Amino acid sequence: MRNIGKEIERLHQELPPEVTLVCVSKFHPQESLMQAYDAGQRIFGESRVQELTQKAATLPKDIAWHFIGHLQTNKVKQVLPLTTLIHSVDSPRLLAEIERVAANLNVVCDCLVQIHIAQEEQKFGFDFEEFECYLQSEEYKQLSHVHICGLMGMATYTDSVETIKREFSGLRNYFDTIKQHYFSESNHFKELSMGMSGDYVEAIASGSTMVRIGSTIFGERM
Ligand SMILES: *Cc1c(COP(=O)(O)O)cnc(C)c1O
């Protein structure tokens, strides 16, 4: 049997102290999450609304839930009160809906903007130019209940370490440029969420501040 607690402890030791571990628990049962929790893990990432809702209702209240999956606008109302950070904001329309819901609840929602860096078509996110355009728009200036806390990206699923490194360092350079031009006055824009089980070492070498790790901890998803 896999020792989930040991994996958490090992990662907490291995990762540089400035890198946050998001334990990706999607598709895994609550008992497995509790093993990670008992080893000291408090940040968990989920990618489906229904699963998040069920787990958040029953698991300990000091867990910080991050939403990491594609979020449909009609689910924002459900997700927002349950999460401390949404990693996967991938369109102006979704940002507008988060703004609307957060304003109604009189809260500010912490978000990362997902940038499309992979070769695969199906991965969501803004293109580099598209997000920069958005930052110059009136729509963006209207956001007062959203903190853009940084960027998120997923590399191509490939054996080519070169490709992965190129994509991650491209995103890191973009992050630095955007921060300098648009967020120099912001205390919030500081997170770069990149790296999963297969590529977190490369991501950290490229300057990731948050890694989202599932199968290394829990084994393959059922
Ligand atoms: C599932 C998932 C992960 C974790 O993937 P592993 O390969 O199991 O570590 C990370 N990020 C996102 C967005 C995911 O959907």
Side-chain angles (χ1 to χ4, degrees):
M1 265 271 295
R2 192 180 194 82
N3 190 328
I4 292 170
K6 276 250 156 59
E7 290 299 330
I8 290 289
E9 282 164 21
R10 191 185 60 71
L11 280 165
H12 284 171
Q13 297 219 326
E14 177 190 337
L15 299 177
E18 65 278 11
V19 173
T20 303
L21 172 62
V22 179
C23 173
V24 175
S25 47
K26 63 186 186 199
F27 309 142
H28 292 289
Q30 310 206 348
E31 305 82 72
S32 301
L33 274 76
M34 279 312 295
Q35 290 177 41
Y37 180 91
D38 290 336
Q41 183 65 25
R42 291 295 180 274
I43 303 177
F44 290 86
E46 288 285 336
S47 61
R48 289 184 179 183
V49 178
Q50 198 189 355
E51 196 177 342
L52 167 67
T53 307
Q54 286 166 354
K55 286 174 173 169
T58 45
L59 288 163
K61 296 301 167 204
D62 62 342
I63 290 179
W65 297 100
H66 288 190
F67 196 79
I68 62 168
H70 174 61
L71 179 57
Q72 291 171 294
T73 48
N74 63 356
K75 300 279 174 68
V76 170
K77 229 185 302 175
Q78 261 174 285
V79 164
L80 211 143
L82 300 176
T83 50
T84 59
L85 183 65
I86 302 174
H87 286 234
S88 42
V89 177
D90 56 11
S91 71
R93 201 167 145 252
L94 182 55
L95 274 161
E97 179 61 6
I98 293 171
E99 168 66 24
R100 196 185 67 79
V101 172
N104 278 340
L105 295 169
N106 199 23
V107 296
V108 174
C109 181
D110 285 349
C111 295
L112 304 180
V113 167
Q114 183 170 354
I115 306 291
H116 184 270
I117 55 171
Q119 286 156 11
E120 293 110 345
E121 278 295 320
Q122 74 273 19
K123 286 184 179 157
F124 292 100
F126 286 82
D127 293 334
F128 288 143
E129 301 76 30
E130 196 183 356
F131 182 55
E132 195 159 359
C133 249
Y134 178 77
L135 289 172
Q136 295 164 3
S137 69
E138 275 311 306
E139 223 182 317
Y140 169 65
K141 297 192 183 95
Q142 302 303 317
L143 300 182
S144 54
H145 298 81
V146 173
H147 280 158
I148 296 184
C149 297
L151 305 177
M152 183 273 237
M154 292 167 85
T156 304
Y157 188 75
T158 171
D159 288 334
S160 162
V161 178
E162 283 317 304
T163 303
I164 292 170
K165 282 185 178 161
R166 177 162 27 83
E167 290 171 356
F168 282 152
S169 52
L171 184 56
R172 176 72 214 196
N173 290 339
Y174 181 77
F175 173 89
D176 291 337
T177 309
I178 290 290
K179 185 174 167 71
Q180 193 186 347
H181 282 88
Y182 300 94
F183 294 96
S184 57
E185 310 280 293
S186 155
N187 299 317
H188 308 292
F189 192 89
K190 54 186 173 205
E191 301 293 352
L192 181 54
S193 167
M194 53 184 199
M196 317 185 2
S197 291
D199 57 21
Y200 71 88
V201 173
E202 289 78 15
I204 290 169
S206 301
S208 166
T209 69
M210 260 185 187
V211 289
R212 309 175 312 272
I213 298 183
S215 35
T216 293
I217 298 166
F218 295 111
E220 290 306 312
R221 282 178 284 279
M222 282 154 269

